[in-house]
Amino acid sequence: AGSGRGKMAAGGAADAQARFGHSVKGLLTEKVTSCGTDVIALTKQVLKGSRSAELLGQAARNMVMQEDAILHSEDSLRKMAIITTHLQYQ
C-alpha cells in the first residue's frame, strides 16, 4: 500500500507543477498584453506630440506671414498719409 501513496504523491507533484506552469504562462501572457497596450498608447502619444509640433510650426509661419503683411500695410498707410499731406498743400 506504501508504493501506491508514492505514485499519488508523484502524480500530485506533477499536477501542481503543471498548474504552476499554466499559471506562469497566464501571468506572462497578461504582462505581454499589458506591455503591448502601453507601447500602443505611447506611440499614439508620440504621434500626437509630433503632430502638435507640426501645427505649432505652421501657426508660427502663418504669424510671420501676417506680420509681414501688417508691416507692408503700415508702410503703405504712411506713404498715403505723406501723399495726402502734399495734395492738401497744393
Side-chain angles (χ1 to χ4, degrees), residues 28-56:
L28 188 57
T29 303
E30 253 180 63
K31 280 291 183 190
V32 167
T33 303
S34 174
C35 284
T37 304
D38 290 348
V39 167
I40 290 169
L42 178 63
T43 303
K44 285 180 181 177
Q45 197 63 36
V46 167
L47 290 174
K48 192 176 178 183
S50 68
R51 180 76 179 129
S52 295
E54 186 181 322
L55 289 173
L56 278 172

Side-chain angles (χ1 to χ4, degrees), residues 3-75:
S3 64
R5 277 191 218 152
K7 285 182 185 176
M8 282 177 52
D15 191 37
Q17 193 173 6
R19 279 197 311 266
F20 177 75
H22 186 69
S23 172
V24 168
K25 280 184 187 177
L27 288 172
L28 188 57
T29 303
E30 253 180 63
K31 280 291 183 190
V32 167
T33 303
S34 174
C35 284
T37 304
D38 290 348
V39 167
I40 290 169
L42 178 63
T43 303
K44 285 180 181 177
Q45 197 63 36
V46 167
L47 290 174
K48 192 176 178 183
S50 68
R51 180 76 179 129
S52 295
E54 186 181 322
L55 289 173
L56 278 172
Q58 191 175 355
R61 285 191 295 276
N62 289 343
M63 283 185 68
V64 168
M65 285 172 36
Q66 290 297 322
E67 188 179 19
D68 285 346
I70 289 169
L71 290 174
H72 181 71
S73 297
E74 199 177 29
D75 192 43

